[in-house]
């Protein structure tokens, strides 16, 4: 059997794959250009891809033998599920193992923005540190007693709750389907309507998948319902927020700040408007990016592929 990887994985994973299959690895421009992908995928049985690879209908239709797509991510919004289903192609993904790392980053971004950590770092590096310990110098805000609103209370949302409790945050959430009351009690969270979540949150953190219904769910209209002092955190997917509207909301002080790990189009360049704003913290899509987590993701990605090609139950399938 032949498999295609749109980039190399860890050595242990490559060795495991090489024992079993003929391997084609793209080692050129990232993401793999569509034209090359269409050409290379023609005869392969399995594909390992990444969240920035758009696996659309045209690509899936050009694959004559494809049985399994295994993505190195929990998000699968980059894969045309209908096109895959029509051709009976199985899809593997990597939930759970990256939950903790992404929740850690979320808390890191909240702390960073509220206590102005990277803003201070930028100030020092630019030689701008003038005042020492003045009562109003570089002041941020306390986390204790603030309301954290979580949109999307799945694996990562719940892992954020567990961490946030330690900082004394009170937590409200919204999802389409309310969690059982016993689980709400256990987590110590309150279910509210989306509009109330917008109104009540001092910190609003996004943890939904990207889908048609979540496209630009955060826009000027929804941001106008937030507190002027509120901050918006996004470690989910860029297109959940209308980025142009976010820039306008920050410029017009409709909200107080934003910390983002994901963007509408990645990577963003140094001239992006968000890079010029002091009340913004930016991260280069590193939610799952700890050494341990990335290795676990590689292990699951190859296991999903191997099991799928052996026509066995994958560890995690969509
Ligand atoms: P999950 O367990 O599937 O949880 C998703 C949550 O979102 C569920 O509570 C779901 O509940 C809710 N939801 C879905 N549609 C919604 C809507 N329209 N309005 C409100 N809530 C909605 O997913 P997860 O593992 O926590 O991951 C969440 C997302 O994080 C992933 O899809 C991925 O895109 C992103 N992610 C990013 C990184 C990174 O590197 N930055 C790393 C990992 C994950 P209902 O269905 O009941 O609404």
């Amino acid at each position: 059997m032949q498999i295609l990887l749109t980039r190399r994985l860890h050595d242990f994973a490559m060795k495991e794959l090489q024992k079993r299959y003929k391997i084609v690895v793209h080692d050129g421009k990232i993401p793999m250009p569509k034209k090359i992908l269409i050409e290379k995928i023609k005869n392969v049985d399995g594909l390992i891809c990444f969240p920035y690879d758009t696996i659309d209908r045209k690509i899936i239709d050009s694959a004559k033998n494809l049985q399994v797509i295994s993505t190195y991510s929990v998000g699968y919004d980059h894969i045309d599920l209908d096109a895959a289903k029509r051709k009976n192609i199985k899809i593997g993904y990597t939930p759970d193992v990256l939950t903790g790392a992404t929740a850690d980053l979320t808390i890191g971004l909240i702390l960073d923005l509220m206590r102005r950590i990277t803003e201070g770092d930028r100030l020092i590096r630019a030689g701008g540190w003038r005042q020492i310990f003045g009562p109003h110098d570089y002041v941020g805000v306390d986390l204790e007693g603030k309301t954290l609103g979580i949109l999307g209370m799945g694996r990562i949302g719940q892992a954020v709750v567990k961490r946030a409790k330690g900082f004394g945050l009170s937590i409200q959430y919204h999802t389409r389907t309310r969690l059982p009351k016993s689980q709400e009690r256990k987590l110590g969270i309150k279910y509210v309507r989306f509009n109330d979540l917008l109104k009540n949150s001092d910190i609003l953190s996004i943890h939904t998948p990207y889908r048609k219904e979540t496209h630009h769910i955060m826009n000027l209209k929804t941001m106008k319902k937030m507190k002027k002092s509120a901050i918006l955190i996004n470690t989910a997917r860029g297109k959940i927020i209308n980025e142009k509207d976010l820039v306008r909301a920050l410029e017009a002080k409709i909200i107080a700040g934003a910390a983002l790990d994901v963007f509408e189009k990645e990577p963003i360049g140094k001239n992006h408007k968000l890079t010029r704003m002091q009340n913004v913290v930016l991260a280069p899509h590193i939610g799952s990016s700890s050494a341990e987590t990335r290795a676990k993701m590689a292990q699951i990605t190859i296991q999903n592929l191997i099991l799928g090609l052996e026509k066995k139950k994958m560890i995690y399938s969509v």
Side-chain angles (χ1 to χ4, degrees):
M1 281 188 177
Q2 208 182 107
I3 65 156
L4 170 67
L5 291 96
T6 63
R7 84 183 302 160
R8 281 186 75 78
L9 276 175
H10 300 66
D11 286 348
F12 76 83
M14 298 306 293
K15 277 189 198 138
E16 206 51 52
L17 294 172
Q18 269 149 1
K19 276 195 240 162
R20 294 176 159 84
Y21 312 112
K22 186 168 175 241
I23 294 180
V24 183
V25 188
H26 173 70
D27 57 7
K29 195 169 169 245
I30 302 274
M32 187 172 182
K34 189 168 178 176
K35 226 172 117 186
I36 304 177
L37 186 48
I38 286 176
E39 186 53 39
K40 300 266 179 189
I41 206 170
K42 267 187 191 150
N43 299 312
V44 304
D45 302 280
L47 170 71
I48 289 182
C49 64
F50 293 74
Y52 51 73
D53 293 313
T54 305
I55 310 299
D56 62 14
R57 182 173 295 270
K58 198 167 172 202
I59 289 168
I60 290 173
D61 283 347
S62 63
K64 286 183 290 200
N65 304 331
L66 195 63
Q67 299 170 45
V68 178
I69 299 172
S70 180
T71 184
Y72 183 73
S73 58
V74 62
Y76 45 81
D77 46 281
H78 54 298
I79 303 169
D80 187 328
L81 298 185
D82 290 336
K85 197 172 169 193
R86 210 164 37 84
K87 293 188 72 180
N88 217 5
I89 294 167
K90 290 179 239 164
I91 299 172
Y93 72 135
T94 66
D96 290 334
V97 288
L98 43 56
T99 296
T102 312
D104 288 349
L105 185 82
T106 305
I107 297 292
L109 291 176
I110 294 171
L111 277 171
D112 188 332
L113 193 57
M114 291 179 78
R115 296 302 307 276
R116 305 172 66 175
I117 301 170
T118 47
E119 188 187 338
D121 180 87
R122 289 192 293 260
L123 179 92
I124 293 176
R125 286 171 200 261
W129 188 15
R130 304 273 178 262
Q131 305 297 329
I132 303 168
F133 221 81
H136 305 295
D137 294 335
Y138 320 126
V139 295
V141 280
D142 285 336
L143 275 73
E144 178 121 41
K146 299 291 185 307
T147 297
L148 167 63
I150 297 190
L151 184 65
M153 189 53 78
R155 291 170 289 248
I156 297 171
Q158 291 180 37
V160 171
V161 169
K162 286 182 195 147
R163 287 155 174 78
K165 287 273 156 186
F167 291 98
L169 288 159
S170 102
I171 300 159
Q172 306 195 345
Y173 80 101
H174 179 76
T175 44
R176 293 167 307 173
T177 323
R178 187 174 171 173
L179 295 182
K181 287 211 173 102
S182 57
Q183 205 177 345
E184 287 180 355
R185 264 197 305 276
K186 202 168 145 206
L187 287 163
I189 56 177
K190 184 180 168 197
Y191 182 81
V192 291
R193 291 177 318 156
F194 182 44
N195 268 340
D196 291 326
L197 192 77
L198 295 169
K199 259 190 352 218
N200 301 345
S201 301
D202 297 300
I203 306 154
L204 179 60
S205 192
I206 313 288
H207 299 286
T208 67
Y210 175 67
R211 299 211 185 98
K212 227 187 277 163
E213 319 92 74
T214 55
H215 177 79
H216 285 183
I217 200 165
M218 293 309 301
N219 52 53
L220 203 55
K221 198 169 151 211
T222 48
M223 285 180 231
K224 277 184 176 165
K225 293 181 181 164
M226 293 172 67
K227 295 181 185 177
K228 280 195 182 344
S229 56
I231 58 167
L232 181 59
I233 314 291
N234 190 8
T235 56
R237 282 289 179 266
K239 288 179 191 156
I240 296 170
I241 298 180
N242 181 325
E243 222 163 77
K244 276 200 184 121
D245 282 4
L246 174 63
V247 169
R248 280 169 67 192
L250 291 165
E251 280 171 347
K253 298 195 181 338
I254 289 165
I255 62 168
L260 311 166
D261 183 45
V262 286
F263 304 87
E264 287 213 47
K265 194 167 176 293
E266 297 173 6
I268 63 165
K270 65 175 183 167
N271 293 324
H272 193 291
K273 278 195 173 166
L274 288 167
T275 65
R276 285 177 230 142
M277 297 179 162
Q278 289 305 335
N279 52 347
V280 170
V281 174
L282 305 168
H285 201 148
I286 50 171
S288 65
S289 188
S290 72
E292 298 90 332
T293 295
R294 285 289 169 91
K296 285 183 205 155
M297 287 167 68
Q299 185 63 45
I300 289 179
T301 304
I302 62 164
Q303 277 179 301
N304 279 340
L305 180 99
I306 294 167
L307 290 167
L309 288 177
E310 286 175 356
K311 309 226 178 303
K312 292 183 184 150
K313 195 171 179 293
M314 290 179 180
I315 304 176
Y316 297 107
S317 65
V318 175

